[in-house]
Amino acid sequence: MKNITNYQNKKVLVVGLAKSGMNAAKLLKELGASVTVNDRKKIEDNPDAKELLDEGIQVITGGHPLSLLDEGFELIVKNPGIPYTNPIIAKAMEKGLPIITEPELAYEISEAPMIGVTGTNGKTTTTTLISLMLNQERKQGQAFVAGNIGVSSVAVAKKATSNDVIVTELSSFQLCGIDKLKPEIAVITNIYEAHTDYHQTRENYVKAKMRITENQDSNDFFVVNWDLEELRELAKTSHAKVVPFSRLAKIQTGAYVKDGNIYYQDEVIMKTDDVNIPGEHNIENILAAIVVVKIKGVKNSAIKEVLTTFTGVRHRTQFVSTWHHRKFYNDSKATNIEATEMAVKGFSQPIILLAGGLDRGFTFEKLVPVLKQHVKAMIVFGETADLMRDAGEAAGITEIKRVKDVVDAVPEAYKLSTDNDIILLSPAAASWDQYPSFEVRGDQYIDAVEKLMQVEDN
């Protein structure tokens, strides 16, 4: 960890706890700052706040009083999930207070170089693949994962050395709060429609994603999905060396697919058929990861070993089990239409699709073509159940059943399935109408599959 002094005696307000707020507050105290933490949860229901109080950090809970901003704070560190429309954040912006997020702090203290990965879909899989490939035949140091993948960036940066590298998954929420953060390699997997409830407009969302490259210079690399025209145009604004990847076209300066082979520049890496995870979207994630690790000098043998053994990240088209000639997959992370569209396209077998979730005010007509081509039956649930049914009926699917939730969906999906079918949870919607997170939703699906198998086998 770098010994920085710019936070000595600085009055800092940390707004929002969870992993990012906890680690930010502890680091700032360690760096000599005068830290106050503000969290909306009441103290009696807030073990994180109690822990910080025990460590001598001032904590104010139960809401976000605007009067806090009269106490002369010089900086706000904001939990990424708190929108900029929140009254205390909006007021801080009016006052001209700088507002950052945890990855910015991590970058400031890190001795290790940073690789940053963002995008609407595929961030976690790409981040994971990069770290596995970098570590596969590594002789010195370690590639750590951090950020939106569920690992505190600050906690990793504190222990990483100059022999290591930090592969950081960066959400648009986190990227809104950077200032100096400058990855040596930045990746954008793709950009689709998402999070307009947070960013207000798609333009704001795209601007947030592009912040990953705004501090880069000609010594850095910007890895971009060349199949998306929007990203080809946006790449022109980066000062870094642009290295493309493409599933659809031969791009000799980057990674691409040709005649069933994965190439980097003019070099064959491996056959696409030897990749262990399904789906065209995962080929794109793989191409992005290959560009990054080839820039870092990783050998083809390490890349091939990872791609022939990797079974997928939990909740991202994750293989769960084969039972009675049916394969069960958990894609609970598919919280938007594009993610489900890509997951469904990844299978050649007939699919029983489990879908539905939070209603964000849009319909699902865009799914109709892929449903028509790949899906034989649907189990729908959540706030968008009726909208999902409408899309299924428009696709000509006759077997559509509405159930309460994911747990009830599993046995019903099995009843509608036959040998060699895929039973796929890929909701195309967020989980918050019924579950605290997509992880909880996915875990309940896995538990329901295991319970089904036990009941039927007994």
Side-chain angles (χ1 to χ4, degrees):
M1 177 175 124
K2 290 178 182 174
N3 182 24
I4 61 173
T5 59
N6 52 309
Y7 290 102
Q8 281 279 352
N9 302 316
K10 198 167 193 173
K11 285 200 71 173
V12 183
L13 176 64
V14 176
V15 181
L17 278 171
K19 285 181 185 177
S20 66
M22 282 286 288
N23 283 283
K26 290 179 179 181
L27 172 67
L28 288 162
K29 183 174 185 287
E30 190 177 336
L31 294 174
S34 172
V35 184
T36 299
V37 172
N38 174 223
D39 193 66
R40 65 177 178 80
K41 285 173 66 177
K42 294 181 180 178
I43 190 69
E44 55 267 25
D45 303 317
N46 203 327
D48 290 344
K50 291 177 183 176
E51 182 181 332
L52 293 177
L53 276 173
D54 290 342
E55 295 188 16
I57 294 174
Q58 183 179 6
V59 179
I60 296 166
T61 61
H64 299 301
L66 296 182
S67 57
L68 265 177
L69 298 179
D70 298 328
E71 296 187 15
F73 291 107
E74 301 166 76
L75 174 72
I76 290 179
V77 180
K78 182 183 76 69
N79 183 293
I82 297 174
Y84 288 84
T85 53
N86 182 287
I88 195 168
I89 301 301
K91 187 70 174 177
M93 291 171 68
E94 279 181 28
K95 285 175 162 281
L97 282 174
I99 301 170
I100 63 172
T101 52
E102 186 212 11
E104 177 69 17
L105 285 174
Y107 176 77
E108 287 188 81
I109 65 165
S110 179
E111 294 178 15
M114 182 181 287
I115 295 168
V117 181
T118 196
T120 305
N121 299 318
K123 296 185 294 295
T124 299
T125 298
T126 304
T127 299
T128 303
L129 286 171
I130 291 168
S131 67
L132 291 172
M133 292 173 186
L134 288 174
N135 283 326
Q136 183 61 36
E137 296 178 2
R138 197 177 188 91
K139 297 291 191 294
Q140 189 178 36
Q142 182 177 344
F144 293 98
V145 296
N148 196 55
I149 200 167
V151 181
S152 164
S153 299
V154 159
V156 172
K158 286 176 74 172
K159 65 183 179 183
T161 72
S162 57
N163 292 324
D164 302 319
V165 62
I166 303 176
V167 190
T168 309
E169 179 183 323
L170 294 164
S171 70
S172 58
F173 301 171
Q174 291 170 320
L175 285 166
C176 283
I178 68 166
D179 179 26
K180 302 181 181 68
L181 188 146
K182 177 179 177 288
E184 66 168 19
I185 305 174
V187 182
I188 296 187
T189 57
N190 47 59
I191 295 181
Y192 298 112
E193 189 79 26
H195 300 306
T196 49
D197 51 344
Y198 184 100
H199 293 287
Q200 306 300 310
T201 67
R202 188 179 189 281
E203 181 183 11
N204 289 341
Y205 173 62
V206 173
K207 284 180 179 177
K209 289 295 189 188
M210 283 298 292
R211 294 201 69 190
I212 197 169
T213 188
E214 73 176 15
N215 295 321
Q216 289 189 298
D217 58 37
S218 59
N219 296 312
D220 303 314
F221 298 88
F222 184 33
V223 180
V224 181
N225 188 336
W226 221 242
D227 293 335
L228 299 177
E229 182 180 356
E230 179 181 33
L231 280 175
R232 294 198 299 270
E233 290 301 311
L234 288 168
K236 296 175 183 177
T237 66
S238 174
H239 298 294
K241 300 182 187 77
V242 175
V243 189
F245 65 92
S246 171
R247 183 175 53 83
L248 303 176
K250 180 179 177 182
I251 305 292
Q252 287 185 312
T253 54
Y256 57 95
V257 175
K258 180 186 175 188
D259 299 330
N261 291 309
I262 295 172
Y263 283 78
Y264 179 72
Q265 297 179 355
D266 290 324
E267 180 184 15
V268 175
I269 305 295
M270 64 186 294
K271 293 182 181 298
T272 55
D273 287 346
D274 292 336
V275 170
N276 199 40
I277 49 175
E280 293 177 347
H281 61 299
N282 277 322
I283 294 296
E284 292 182 1
N285 299 333
I286 286 164
L287 292 171
I290 286 173
V291 171
V292 172
V293 301
K294 292 301 282 185
I295 290 169
K296 296 292 286 183
V298 170
K299 295 178 181 178
N300 290 352
S301 56
I303 295 171
K304 287 189 277 190
E305 178 62 26
V306 169
L307 294 179
T308 53
T309 57
F310 180 63
T311 57
V313 178
R314 193 170 179 85
H315 310 301
R316 282 92 171 164
T317 325
Q318 172 201 1
F319 174 67
V320 176
S321 185
T322 299
W323 188 65
H324 288 189
H325 308 290
R326 284 91 160 155
K327 289 187 176 180
F328 293 80
Y329 284 85
N330 164 31
D331 192 38
S332 184
K333 180 60 172 67
T335 57
N336 56 58
I337 290 171
E338 286 79 13
T340 294
E341 188 177 24
M342 289 185 222
V344 170
K345 283 181 179 177
F347 297 98
S348 56
Q349 307 97 314
I351 295 170
I352 314 295
L353 178 65
L354 284 59
L358 182 72
D359 188 349
R360 278 178 159 154
F362 51 78
T363 54
F364 296 89
E365 290 93 346
K366 190 176 177 184
L367 280 175
V368 170
V370 75
L371 294 177
K372 187 179 294 185
Q373 187 173 357
H374 296 271
V375 176
K376 65 181 275 188
M378 294 177 69
I379 311 294
V380 297
F381 47 83
E383 289 179 356
T384 61
D386 289 338
L387 295 170
M388 287 291 180
R389 180 188 289 275
D390 292 344
E393 289 176 348
I397 298 170
T398 57
E399 291 187 295
I400 304 174
K401 182 155 188 180
R402 178 171 183 159
V403 297
K404 178 186 173 186
D405 55 23
V406 162
V407 172
D408 290 343
V410 169
E412 295 301 327
Y414 177 73
K415 289 175 188 175
L416 295 178
S417 67
T418 55
D419 286 4
N420 301 314
D421 284 351
I422 300 294
I423 297 176
L424 171 67
L425 170 66
S426 190
S431 60
W432 302 319
D433 58 331
Q434 295 182 306
Y435 303 97
S437 68
F438 71 82
E439 292 96 340
V440 172
R441 178 171 64 187
D443 287 340
Q444 290 204 11
Y445 172 73
I446 293 169
D447 290 345
V449 172
E450 291 173 352
K451 182 178 179 182
L452 174 75
M453 294 163 64
Q454 291 166 1
V455 169
E456 291 290 330
D457 283 342
N458 289 335

